[in-house]
Amino acid sequence: VMGGFGDAFAWQNTLQRAAPLILTGLAVALPAQAGRVVIGAEGALVLGGLAAAALGLQLSAHAPPLVVWPVMALAGMLAGAVWIGIVGWLREKREVNETISSLLMSFIAIALFNQMVETVLRDPASLNKPSTKPLADNFLLPAMPGLDVHWGLGVGVVVAVICWAVVKLTPLGLALRVAGGNPRTALGVGLPVMGLTIGACAAGGAAAGLAGAVEVAAVHGAANASLIAGYGYSGILIAFAARFSPLGVVPVAILVGGIAASGSLLQRRLGLPDASVMVLLGFAFVALIGCETLRGRGFFKKG
């Protein structure tokens, strides 16, 4: 509690970590609306960051930051959408299990990322750590007014609210939920189940790609191995804990961000390794699965 929420500095660290976690949580929650369990957000995130960095570097010499930032965001979203959209297409066209294929695609994406960063896009000045050329300081996303946290947090919250409104309040969201709940019924009433499923997967990939673009534009300033930080895998826990609600992803991401931010304090105060936060998250995930399994069982009911 102290490490993640004890003071202003802890809250700043927590919210900084929560910014990409909101988007990677949406990367799992959105395909789940169509009944698909996609766990490959890590690959979409790194490819989104790579696309954003490559395009941002080219545009920064000819356009102002207010033009470059939206283009970087669109590049990251497009890269992530295409990558996870392939997973949805494989499911619909070839009956390939989306959970396994998205995980394997994530490993392929990370390999492609490392290859590009270490070869054609590598900055010759980066000797110890392969990286693309860095963005100029004036092209880094500024902090939000009144907070020492970059605008990625605001972007994540806005995207989560928009996704919730689409899923809960629009005909498209209703069609998506029907297709995910009972595909046969959806086909019977004339809904384009294939298009809805692939679109939901692509939307989730776009959210993860946007997370990568935000990390490049706000935190790292370049695409390098620091992007491979496990945000995509943490998004799985966040989406399950939020019961796949796009709006519920926000508070759960802040909670998980607080747990991750507490690692350094656990190390200093209690002598625990920094990786102990992963053990805490693992216990949380196991407890969550156990609660879902036992919920509604007869021996939990009175009488």
Side-chain angles (χ1 to χ4, degrees), residues 72-281:
M72 289 178 64
L74 289 174
M77 292 172 67
L78 181 61
V82 170
W83 197 252
I84 303 299
I86 293 173
V87 172
W89 184 87
L90 288 172
R91 172 65 183 185
E92 295 303 309
K93 288 292 189 178
R94 293 291 183 266
E95 293 293 329
V96 179
N97 182 278
E98 74 279 359
T99 306
I100 296 174
S101 64
S102 62
L103 182 61
L104 295 177
M105 290 281 285
S106 182
F107 292 141
I108 295 171
I110 292 173
L112 288 174
F113 174 85
N114 288 330
Q115 178 68 16
M116 296 297 289
V117 168
E118 293 176 5
T119 55
V120 294
L121 295 179
R122 180 168 183 171
D123 179 12
S126 178
L127 300 178
N128 297 325
K129 186 177 186 179
S131 172
T132 61
K133 291 182 179 179
L135 294 169
D137 290 342
N138 61 317
F139 284 92
L140 295 179
L141 278 177
M144 298 173 64
L147 294 173
D148 196 13
V149 181
H150 60 74
W151 270 102
L153 177 66
V155 170
V157 172
V158 169
V159 171
V161 171
I162 293 173
C163 290
W164 174 83
V166 170
V167 169
K168 295 296 184 182
L169 305 177
T170 67
L172 174 61
L174 177 60
L176 188 62
R177 298 198 306 274
V178 172
N182 194 325
R184 290 187 178 182
T185 300
L187 289 171
V189 297
L191 292 177
V193 175
M194 182 182 299
L196 289 169
T197 301
I198 296 175
C201 292
L210 179 59
V214 167
E215 283 294 289
V216 168
V219 179
H220 305 295
N224 52 50
S226 297
L227 281 176
I228 312 172
Y231 289 132
Y233 302 122
S234 298
I236 304 169
L237 168 62
I238 292 167
F240 272 83
R243 300 185 65 80
F244 305 117
S245 167
L247 200 58
V249 160
V250 176
V252 178
I254 293 174
L255 175 62
V256 173
I259 295 174
S262 68
S264 59
L265 189 64
L266 290 174
Q267 191 174 21
R268 294 195 307 271
R269 295 274 184 91
L270 303 178
L272 295 174
D274 186 61
S276 59
V277 295
M278 298 304 296
V279 178
L280 294 175
L281 291 175

